[in-house]
Amino acid sequence: MKKLWSGRFKEKTEKAVEKFTSSLSFDVRLWKYDIEGSIAHVKMLGRQKIIPLKDAALVLRGLEEIKEEIQNGRFRFHDSLEDVHMNIEHALIKKVGPAGGKLHTARSRNDQVALDLRLFLRDEIREILRATDKFRKVLVVLSEKNIDAVMPGFTHLQKAQPVLLSHHLLAYFEMLERDSARFEDCLKRVNVLPLGSAALAGTTLPIDRNYVARLLKFPVISENSMDAVSDRDFVIEFISASSMLMVHLSRLAEEIIIWNNDEFGFIDLPDAFTTGSSIMPQKKNPDVLELTRGKSGRVFGHLISMLTVMKGLPLAYNRDMQEDKEPVFDTVDTVKSCLNVLTAMMPKVRFNKQAMARSAEGGFLTATDLAEYLVRKGMPFRDAHRVTGEVVRHCVDNGKKMSELSLEEFRRFSELIGKDIVHFITVATSVDGKNSAGGTSKKMVLARIRKIKSRKRGMVRET
Ligand code: ARG
């Protein structure tokens, strides 16, 4: 296939070089955006009389035909034409003749590829935002449905204080809220038109970038042509926001794996979302969750690879930047698939409320409540902490729960303890009493749920 840039070359490109430099196998995914950008560009060229209107019309028709051919799988891509941009332009020239050769006026692949990637990411970020919204909604519905379930809250993976399961689940809601905010913020910087920067310096031709921006629904245009063709901050930012989201999904996956473990028995995973072992017939493995946890590693890897690709590049475009696409594509696919599978699975998880409650009963989870009781009676917290520690040690030594101690036994540790103590050291009163803002009491958790549900846009935003 004769290259569109073959003019200054005497020799043909080495086969190995063609293969090595081609990005077609992956950037073919951008074809729709490439055509969309070209359509806007050629409309502008015609409107500005940079090319005759009849040529612009020919190009437009050609591009529409190519779009249809690709859609219907009738378009033949050639690897020797390097990338998706060259393939489409080549086909256009073949189709409409010399007018096709006018499409690339006042444009370079450098601003073209930046445009395509921004158009692609703009769509995908909106889709990811919708997917995170859906997942957050699932968490809220589960929290509301299980509002009375009490479980142990952990620090150092050791039972710490009793909490509501809903409070635990809604912690992930908050994380995902911040993730959404990060994607929304990133979207503002993705949503900038780079086209019209040409190779790096702009062009002598009288283009109208604002018109192109309007056609492609970009609220703003880039301000510096050199920056526009060499900036991949938006890619790094996107993968960074994705990495943070993956940290959160991975942590949730890890928790559910632990809760699902026999020793905990807090939940049952739906059969449809687990897999069997090829040798051990009794096994039902949480592979979906393990894969979610594992896939987070790929996304972090993509972040590091993009930071590394970019860190030493002089302005402006360098071919190194072709390496941006696979990390972006894989990040998009990974994030969406993890969100979607968890969104489908979570509503089908069966929470074993008895097991959770039982677990919250053992292990002196209300010890801090005893200390806070003593604080209410005027004891400095440090002393209350020590006294409570002594009570716990006494219980451990005598094989008793705190609730089994008599008032007399309690008073051996502090005269301040009265018979009202029984109301302060049960799991139920412990949870119910956590009324500080953001605390785990049913009142506070329900208030949060109400606030989330009353938002104007609702939980699922229209993007
Ligand atoms: N395939 C290239 C990429 O993905 C397109 C831009 C090529 N530009 C160039 N001057 N060689 O980055």
Side-chain angles (χ1 to χ4, degrees), residues 227-325:
D227 176 42
V229 292
S230 63
D231 162 35
R232 292 295 182 273
D233 300 10
F234 68 98
V235 166
I236 295 174
E237 223 182 314
F238 167 72
I239 305 179
S240 163
S242 300
S243 297
M244 194 68 91
L245 170 66
M246 289 304 296
V247 168
H248 296 150
L249 297 185
S250 180
R251 290 184 75 176
L252 178 62
E254 168 68 8
E255 302 230 58
I256 303 175
I257 291 167
I258 293 173
W259 295 353
N260 181 57
N261 178 286
D262 267 353
E263 309 299 327
F264 278 72
F266 287 0
I267 58 164
D268 282 317
L269 289 175
D271 275 4
F273 287 82
T274 50
T275 50
S277 154
S278 55
I279 174 167
M280 298 168 283
Q282 84 282 13
K283 294 275 273 197
K284 189 175 134 182
N285 295 326
D287 293 27
V288 163
L289 298 159
E290 292 169 292
L291 280 169
T292 301
R293 194 175 56 186
K295 282 174 189 290
S296 63
R298 316 164 64 111
V299 177
F300 309 158
H302 296 325
L303 178 60
I304 295 297
S305 54
M306 277 319 296
L307 289 167
T308 313
V309 165
M310 295 308 293
K311 82 173 181 72
L313 298 187
L315 298 186
Y317 178 85
N318 298 270
R319 191 66 177 266
D320 314 45
M321 288 153 76
Q322 178 169 293
E323 292 292 312
D324 61 359
K325 274 162 248 13

Side-chain angles (χ1 to χ4, degrees), residues 21 23 26-27 82-85 108-110 113 232 317-319 321-325:
T21 55
S23 53
F26 46 89
D27 67 17
E82 265 186 71
D83 54 27
V84 67
H85 325 290
S108 151
R109 264 185 303 160
N110 301 348
V113 71
R232 292 295 182 273
Y317 178 85
N318 298 270
R319 191 66 177 266
M321 288 153 76
Q322 178 169 293
E323 292 292 312
D324 61 359
K325 274 162 248 13

Side-chain angles (χ1 to χ4, degrees), residues 128-140:
I128 289 171
L129 279 170
R130 279 191 287 272
T132 50
D133 280 3
K134 263 199 206 153
F135 188 53
R136 289 210 309 280
K137 189 165 181 189
V138 161
L139 292 175
V140 173

Side-chain angles (χ1 to χ4, degrees), residues 69-305:
E69 284 168 22
I70 300 179
Q71 245 153 17
N72 302 331
R74 279 189 289 112
F75 188 87
R76 268 201 61 198
F77 286 100
H78 300 280
D79 219 22
S80 58
L81 290 174
E82 265 186 71
D83 54 27
V84 67
H85 325 290
M86 288 303 208
N87 266 277
I88 291 173
E89 193 184 336
H90 192 269
L92 179 76
I93 293 169
K94 233 170 83 189
K95 209 181 258 298
V96 306
K102 296 188 178 178
L103 168 63
H104 213 53
T105 312
R107 185 175 79 170
S108 151
R109 264 185 303 160
N110 301 348
D111 56 346
Q112 185 180 359
V113 71
L115 171 70
D116 292 6
L117 203 55
R118 283 173 183 273
L119 286 169
F120 167 81
L121 259 187
R122 187 171 75 174
D123 271 3
E124 294 294 348
I125 291 175
R126 286 176 180 152
E127 213 174 292
I128 289 171
L129 279 170
R130 279 191 287 272
T132 50
D133 280 3
K134 263 199 206 153
F135 188 53
R136 289 210 309 280
K137 189 165 181 189
V138 161
L139 292 175
V140 173
V141 169
L142 277 177
S143 303
E144 209 173 14
K145 209 169 111 190
N146 296 287
I147 190 67
D148 289 311
V150 174
M151 66 180 291
F154 297 84
T155 62
H156 314 269
L157 196 55
Q158 306 200 63
K159 290 185 203 176
Q161 293 188 289
V163 294
L164 289 186
L165 166 66
S166 309
H167 199 50
H168 198 138
L169 293 175
L170 287 179
Y172 284 94
F173 175 92
E174 305 294 345
M175 295 176 222
L176 280 143
E177 279 261 287
R178 295 193 294 275
D179 291 325
S180 286
R182 268 184 283 271
F183 281 118
E184 276 180 6
D185 202 50
C186 167
L187 184 56
K188 287 186 217 149
R189 283 175 290 278
V190 168
N191 210 1
V192 176
L193 175 86
L195 200 67
S197 302
L200 76 163
T203 171
T204 57
L205 297 165
I207 59 172
D208 181 352
R209 297 188 60 210
N210 287 307
Y211 175 66
V212 178
R214 282 201 299 283
L215 289 180
L216 293 172
K217 300 196 167 60
F218 282 102
V220 281
I221 65 173
S222 58
E223 297 289 350
N224 181 307
S225 58
M226 294 182 80
D227 176 42
V229 292
S230 63
D231 162 35
R232 292 295 182 273
D233 300 10
F234 68 98
V235 166
I236 295 174
E237 223 182 314
F238 167 72
I239 305 179
S240 163
S242 300
S243 297
M244 194 68 91
L245 170 66
M246 289 304 296
V247 168
H248 296 150
L249 297 185
S250 180
R251 290 184 75 176
L252 178 62
E254 168 68 8
E255 302 230 58
I256 303 175
I257 291 167
I258 293 173
W259 295 353
N260 181 57
N261 178 286
D262 267 353
E263 309 299 327
F264 278 72
F266 287 0
I267 58 164
D268 282 317
L269 289 175
D271 275 4
F273 287 82
T274 50
T275 50
S277 154
S278 55
I279 174 167
M280 298 168 283
Q282 84 282 13
K283 294 275 273 197
K284 189 175 134 182
N285 295 326
D287 293 27
V288 163
L289 298 159
E290 292 169 292
L291 280 169
T292 301
R293 194 175 56 186
K295 282 174 189 290
S296 63
R298 316 164 64 111
V299 177
F300 309 158
H302 296 325
L303 178 60
I304 295 297
S305 54

